[in-house]
């Protein structure tokens, strides 16, 4: 991924893209250093679009809340649009439309507001690059198929969601899609182009009739129906989505960037990208159909077939090819084996009849009865298998295709598929067709596991431990087990370091709710990590300690005489006293020592006088007073030294009485 470059222009209103190569655009004035609404501090200018400047800003509220990356992107209307009601409304429409869409692959809009003459939109800040940059980097070979699948399944998920909400993007194109450093896709600019009709496609062949900046869509990705002025529908997004898939695979536009109403199919032939096989090419080609009635019914139907439904097509086709090839190869062999079989069963008319009956069995019947064929010789049985091999392969392929999907239909049942292939391998151990089918199944299974692992790695890298739905960590781990029984996901050291940091912070803050959540995550993911067990044990002890202290506090408040839970308190205050001990080591002046003494005194009001961690700390404080007194006595600061001695002796006298 390209190194991020701030202050680079952002053509086509590529909001929130932190690294974009584009031509310089004259801006209306630099707002760096200004603070909108006493909250958004403008730090740097990213670039400019058709109607706005884009800035990176620090959200001071986020920063004060302790968020480590408190950055947002600010889209500010250019001055020439600030007084235009339509331009102001476009920000409002963009915010409302995007805020209706809550999906992990759709950009989040936080706010739309004004500050004086400045009208602006606040969105999440994304560290990544747009797909047009990804496509440029992949030239001339395009991206491999497995890499494309990881991208388009996320785009498809976002579009299917918006279509169910009754929203059509209308201007889907690579520059409106961001790929983050974590591998996550974000789609944005929903409905904005249509709202104000200011988009201009730098990719399309320029034509005054359909590449006007007032067209409201990007001609190179617009469907024929859009170009003819028909109302927008999901089929428009299907066409644009398919164009993007084609570009990712080949780094080229399927129709040479011509608008759909300029394409002459008698002169321009759709060429299969090298990174997709012939069996899946018809799936993508159907999405690229110029006329809506010929086009694939939905984005999801294309993505699912490309990502998960390769096996039935490949298996059935491989079986059909095997029938053709084996028909010729085995013709002479069949004749020879028939002769051999006839000789072997010539001993009696009864055995001849048995052989004839077995030869009449269908491939399905042969598979079900093969193990029970004990009345003929092994050689005869294998001769029957050789005669029926093409038909048996076709049956195995159909069985694989008919295996029900699992996990609410999301995944192929690889365990059942492998059982079918194992049965075939027992009958035909040297079959190249079966080996090819097994290899395809293994690759498909691994690609699913890789996709789930990628999603889980992103969640762990961002510390998103408590999300629900598709991002529920327990659900993802369960899905991995459905895809491959016994699969073990091993988080990397960086994931554990973040987890450890969050856990230690929760312990320091006595945040029992977070500790409980982190304990659950740790039991799922980090239980085998060398340093995790100590954290988990401490978390369990902390939970028990809090319950004991709460029980004591409640009893005392009700007037019930109750012994103080010393052991529980030592667990509860362990992090507190460790931090205070470290702070005492840093005290360098009498003023700092007096301030620290005050903190310890305040803490002591909530603890028994004989609480050992407190006694130990107070003795260190007293000793520090006397040590400072000696230092200041040598400097002949006698008054300061006397005060230090007095406080040190006071502490020692009180502690001696405990």
């Amino acid at each position: 991924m390209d190194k991020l470059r701030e202050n680079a222009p952002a053509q086509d209103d590529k909001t929130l893209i932190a690294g974009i190569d584009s031509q310089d655009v004259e801006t209306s004035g630099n707002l760096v250093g200004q603070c909108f609404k006493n909250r958004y501090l403008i730090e740097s200018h990213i670039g400019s679009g058709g109607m706005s400047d884009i800035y990176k800003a620090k959200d001071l509220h986020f920063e004060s809340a302790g968020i480590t990356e408190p950055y947002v992107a600010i889209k500010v209307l250019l001055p020439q649009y600030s007084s235009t009601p339509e331009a102001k409304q476009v920000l409002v429409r963009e915010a409302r439309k995007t805020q209706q869409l809550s999906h992990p692959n759709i950009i989040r809009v936080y706010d739309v507001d004004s500050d004086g003459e400045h009208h602006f939109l606040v969105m999440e800040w994304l560290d990544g690059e747009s797909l047009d940059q990804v496509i440029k980097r992949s030239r001339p070979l395009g991206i491999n198929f497995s890499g494309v699948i990881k991208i388009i399944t996320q785009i498809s998920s976002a579009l299917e969601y918006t279509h169910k909400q009754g929203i059509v993007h209308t201007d889907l194109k690579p520059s409106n899609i961001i790929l983050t450093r974590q591998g996550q896709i974000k789609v944005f600019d929903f409905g904005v182009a249509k709202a104000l009709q200011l988009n201009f496609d730098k990719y399309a062949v320029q034509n005054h009739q359909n590449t006007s900046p007032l067209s409201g869509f990007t001609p190179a990705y617009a469907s024929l129906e859009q170009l003819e002025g028909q109302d927008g529908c999901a089929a428009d997004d299907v066409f644009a989505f398919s164009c993007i898939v084609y570009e990712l695979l080949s780094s080229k536009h399927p129709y040479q960037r011509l608008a759909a109403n300029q394409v002459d199919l008698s002169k321009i032939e759709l060429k299969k990208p090298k990174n997709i096989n012939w069996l899946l090419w018809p799936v993508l080609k159907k999405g690229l159909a110029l006329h809506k009635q010929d086009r694939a019914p939905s984005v999801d139907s294309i993505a699912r077939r490309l990502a998960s439904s390769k096996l039935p097509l490949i298996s059935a086709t491989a079986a059909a090819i095997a029938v053709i090839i084996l028909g010729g190869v085995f013709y002479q062999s069949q004749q020879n084996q028939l002769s051999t079989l006839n000789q072997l069963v010539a001993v009696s008319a009864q055995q001849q009849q048995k052989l004839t009956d077995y030869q009449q069995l269908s491939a399905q019947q042969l598979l079900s009865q093969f193990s029970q064929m004990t009345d003929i010789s092994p050689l005869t049985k294998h001769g029957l298998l050789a005669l029926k091999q093409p038909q048996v392969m076709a049956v195995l392929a159909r069985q694989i295709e008919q295996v029900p999907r699992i996990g609410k239909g999301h995944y192929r049942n690889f365990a059942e598929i492998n059982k079918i292939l194992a049965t075939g391998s027992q009958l035909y151990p040297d079959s190249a067709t079966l080996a090819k089918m097994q290899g395809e199944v293994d690759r498909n299974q691994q690609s699913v596991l890789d996709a789930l692992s990628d999603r889980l790695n992103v969640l762990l890298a961002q510390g998103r431990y408590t999300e629900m739905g598709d991002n529920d960590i327990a659900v993802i781990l369960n899905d991995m087990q459905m895809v491959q029984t016994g699969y073990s996901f091993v988080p990397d050291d960086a994931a554990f370091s973040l987890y450890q940091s969050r856990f230690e912070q929760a312990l320091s803050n006595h945040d029992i709710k977070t500790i409980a959540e982190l304990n659950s995550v740790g039991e799922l993911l980090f239980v085998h990590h060398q340093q995790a067990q100590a954290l988990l044990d401490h978390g369990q002890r902390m939970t028990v300690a809090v319950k004991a202290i709460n029980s004591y506090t409640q009893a005392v408040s009700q007037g019930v005489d109750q012994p103080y839970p010393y052991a529980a308190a030592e667990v509860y205050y362990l992090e507190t006293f460790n931090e205070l001990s470290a702070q005492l080591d840093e005290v360098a002046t009498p003023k700092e020592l007096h301030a620290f003494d005050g903190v310890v005194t305040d803490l002591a009001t909530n603890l028994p006088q004989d609480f050992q961690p407190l006694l130990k700390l107070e003795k260190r404080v007293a000793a520090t007073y006397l040590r400072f007194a000696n230092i200041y006595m040598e400097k002949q600061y006698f008054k300061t030294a006397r005060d230090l001695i007095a406080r040190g002796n006071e502490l020692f006298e009180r502690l001696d009485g405990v």
Side-chain angles (χ1 to χ4, degrees):
M1 183 174 292
D2 290 345
K3 186 177 181 180
L4 299 186
R5 297 177 299 280
E6 294 186 355
N7 296 324
Q11 282 189 344
D12 296 331
D13 259 348
K14 296 172 183 170
T15 311
L16 316 180
I17 303 173
I20 292 176
D21 289 326
S22 56
Q23 300 300 317
D24 290 337
V25 178
E26 184 178 352
T27 61
S28 60
N30 202 334
L31 300 179
V32 173
Q34 293 196 31
C35 188
F36 287 173
K37 307 300 286 187
N38 294 320
R39 174 173 181 175
Y40 304 110
L41 179 62
I42 307 297
E43 289 197 346
S44 60
H45 176 253
I46 304 168
S48 300
M51 55 176 287
S52 60
D53 279 334
I54 315 299
Y55 295 91
K56 178 181 179 182
K58 179 182 291 185
D59 187 329
L60 301 181
H61 289 193
F62 284 177
E63 184 179 45
S64 64
I67 296 175
T68 55
E69 291 293 332
Y71 297 106
V72 294
I74 305 285
K75 176 188 285 190
V76 185
L77 279 181
L78 295 174
Q80 56 265 41
Y81 294 109
S82 296
S83 59
T84 306
E86 293 82 358
K88 297 176 188 177
Q89 284 302 311
V90 77
L91 290 181
V92 176
R93 282 194 292 268
E94 179 176 358
R96 288 177 179 172
K97 187 164 290 188
T98 309
Q99 285 174 341
Q100 293 173 24
L101 306 173
S102 177
H103 190 278
N105 299 120
I106 296 176
I107 202 84
R108 285 180 293 172
V109 172
Y110 299 137
D111 196 9
V112 59
D113 207 341
S114 297
D115 190 329
E117 62 182 7
H118 300 297
H119 307 287
F120 61 93
L121 191 69
V122 184
M123 299 186 189
E124 65 176 314
W125 171 261
L126 297 177
D127 184 4
E129 60 183 348
S130 61
L131 282 194
D132 56 345
Q133 290 297 104
V134 175
I135 291 168
K136 287 177 184 178
R137 286 194 293 102
S138 71
R139 291 174 180 168
L141 300 178
I143 302 171
N144 63 51
F145 186 77
S146 60
V148 170
I149 290 299
K150 292 180 181 180
I151 293 173
I152 67 173
T153 50
Q154 296 183 66
I155 301 173
S156 166
S157 177
L159 292 176
E160 280 298 305
Y161 170 77
T162 61
H163 292 171
K164 288 178 181 178
Q165 309 303 313
I167 295 176
V168 181
H169 192 291
T170 73
D171 192 25
L172 190 69
K173 56 185 176 181
S175 62
N176 279 345
I177 303 170
I178 298 173
L179 177 64
T180 70
R181 288 187 182 273
Q182 292 77 32
Q184 187 177 24
I185 285 293
K186 291 283 188 174
V187 183
F188 62 97
D189 272 3
F190 276 89
V192 180
K194 187 174 181 181
L196 195 59
Q197 298 185 335
L198 287 175
N199 269 5
F200 179 76
D201 180 32
K202 63 183 179 184
Y203 292 120
V205 173
Q206 303 306 306
N207 180 287
H208 293 296
Q209 293 181 346
N210 51 40
T211 60
S212 165
L214 298 178
S215 60
F217 45 73
T218 306
Y221 301 91
S223 68
L224 183 62
E225 294 76 31
Q226 280 181 284
L227 294 166
E228 291 176 346
Q230 297 183 26
D231 290 338
C233 66
D236 302 328
D237 286 350
V238 171
F239 180 78
F241 172 78
S242 302
C243 289
I244 292 170
V245 176
Y246 189 100
E247 273 196 276
L248 289 168
L249 287 167
S250 66
S251 73
K252 299 176 182 177
H253 188 277
Y255 294 113
Q256 302 173 17
R257 302 209 180 280
L258 287 177
N261 58 1
Q262 294 181 330
V263 174
D264 184 349
L265 292 178
S266 65
K267 298 179 181 179
I268 298 178
E269 179 184 359
L270 275 176
K271 295 182 179 180
K272 182 188 81 66
K274 292 182 179 179
N275 290 338
I276 189 172
N277 65 48
W278 283 104
L279 299 172
L280 295 176
W281 170 226
V283 177
L284 177 56
K285 195 173 182 180
K286 191 171 179 64
L288 294 168
L290 294 179
H291 297 283
K292 182 164 61 176
Q293 63 269 23
D294 301 326
R295 206 172 297 148
S298 68
V299 168
D300 184 56
S301 67
I302 298 173
R304 280 191 298 106
R305 291 286 300 279
L306 293 181
S308 305
S309 301
K310 297 176 286 182
L311 180 60
L313 287 169
I314 291 172
S315 302
T317 305
I321 293 172
V323 171
I324 297 171
I325 295 174
L326 293 172
V329 173
F330 285 104
Y331 177 77
Q332 186 61 44
S333 176
Q334 290 173 15
Q335 302 306 311
N336 295 336
Q337 291 191 32
L338 281 172
S339 176
T340 303
L341 291 172
N342 286 331
Q343 293 174 14
L344 289 170
V345 299
V347 292
S348 70
Q350 184 178 8
Q351 286 192 344
Q352 180 66 44
Q353 184 58 48
K354 286 180 181 178
L355 178 59
T356 302
D357 291 342
Y358 284 140
Q359 288 176 322
Q360 299 302 316
L361 292 176
S362 67
Q364 183 68 57
Q365 292 169 327
L366 179 62
L367 281 172
S368 61
Q369 299 179 28
F370 188 77
S371 61
Q372 286 82 41
M373 292 181 181
T374 58
D375 51 355
I376 59 175
S377 69
L379 180 60
T380 304
K381 290 172 66 175
H382 287 293
L384 284 170
L385 283 176
L387 290 172
K388 297 284 187 179
Q389 183 170 359
Q391 295 92 326
V392 171
M393 291 294 179
V395 169
L396 293 175
R398 283 198 301 274
Q399 288 179 352
I400 290 172
E401 185 176 8
Q402 292 167 2
V403 172
R405 299 174 74 87
I406 57 177
K408 298 181 180 179
H410 292 159
Y411 311 111
R412 302 299 304 276
N413 190 334
F414 293 105
E416 289 301 316
I417 291 172
N418 282 320
K419 286 180 182 179
I420 295 171
L421 290 172
T423 299
S425 295
Q426 290 176 355
L427 301 177
Y428 304 102
D430 299 323
S431 170
T433 300
L434 283 173
K436 182 178 179 181
M437 293 166 65
Q438 183 68 64
E440 189 67 31
V441 170
D442 292 344
R443 286 190 293 274
N444 188 247
Q445 183 179 31
Q446 190 58 50
S447 69
V448 174
L449 290 172
D450 288 345
L452 291 171
S453 296
D454 288 346
R455 189 192 309 169
L456 193 49
N457 279 322
V458 169
L459 293 173
L460 295 179
Q462 298 177 353
R464 295 157 59 187
Y465 303 124
T466 59
E467 294 196 18
M468 305 300 291
D470 290 341
N471 288 336
D472 187 316
I473 289 176
V475 171
I476 296 174
L477 291 171
N478 183 65
D479 286 356
M480 288 177 168
Q481 291 300 312
M482 278 195 293
V483 173
Q484 181 177 312
T485 303
Y487 181 80
S488 178
F489 174 82
V490 181
D492 59 27
D493 291 340
F496 178 74
S497 295
L498 177 61
Y499 171 80
Q500 184 180 33
S501 173
R502 295 285 179 86
F503 210 128
E504 290 172 350
Q505 183 179 3
L507 289 171
S508 176
N509 296 335
H510 302 131
D511 186 346
I512 301 306
K513 179 176 180 295
T514 300
I515 291 172
E517 293 170 347
L518 292 172
N519 264 331
S520 299
V521 172
E523 293 292 344
L524 289 172
L525 289 169
F526 300 109
V527 69
H528 298 301
H529 198 282
Q530 185 176 3
Q531 300 175 356
Q533 197 56 54
L535 275 179
L536 296 174
D537 291 345
H538 192 176
Q540 294 290 354
R541 290 196 301 271
M542 177 66 82
T543 303
V544 173
V546 168
K547 290 181 180 178
I549 291 174
N550 287 343
S551 176
Y552 167 79
T553 303
Q554 185 176 6
V556 170
S557 67
Q558 294 173 354
V560 178
D561 192 15
Q562 185 95 351
Y564 188 77
Y566 286 93
E570 287 193 19
V571 173
Y572 183 83
Y573 287 105
L574 176 63
E575 297 297 328
T576 300
F577 279 99
N578 284 343
E579 290 176 6
L580 287 172
S581 181
Q583 290 174 18
L584 181 56
D585 291 338
E586 300 297 324
V587 169
T589 65
K591 182 178 180 181
E592 292 177 358
L593 182 58
H594 283 300
F596 182 84
D597 188 9
V599 172
V600 176
T601 301
D602 290 342
L603 177 62
T605 60
N606 298 317
L607 296 169
Q609 289 186 349
D610 60 347
F611 186 55
Q612 287 302 314
L614 178 62
L615 288 174
K616 182 178 178 181
L617 183 63
E618 288 180 324
K619 287 178 181 178
R620 285 194 61 201
V621 172
T624 304
Y625 270 111
L626 297 182
R627 179 168 61 84
F628 274 25
N630 288 334
I631 294 172
Y632 280 83
M633 187 70 73
E634 291 177 359
K635 294 180 179 181
Q636 297 186 0
Y637 294 154
F638 299 117
K639 183 179 184 308
T640 300
R642 283 195 301 272
D643 292 342
L644 292 168
I645 292 172
R647 178 54 180 163
N649 288 336
E650 179 187 349
L651 285 173
F652 274 124
E653 290 173 4
R654 183 172 63 78
L655 293 172
D656 288 342
V658 176

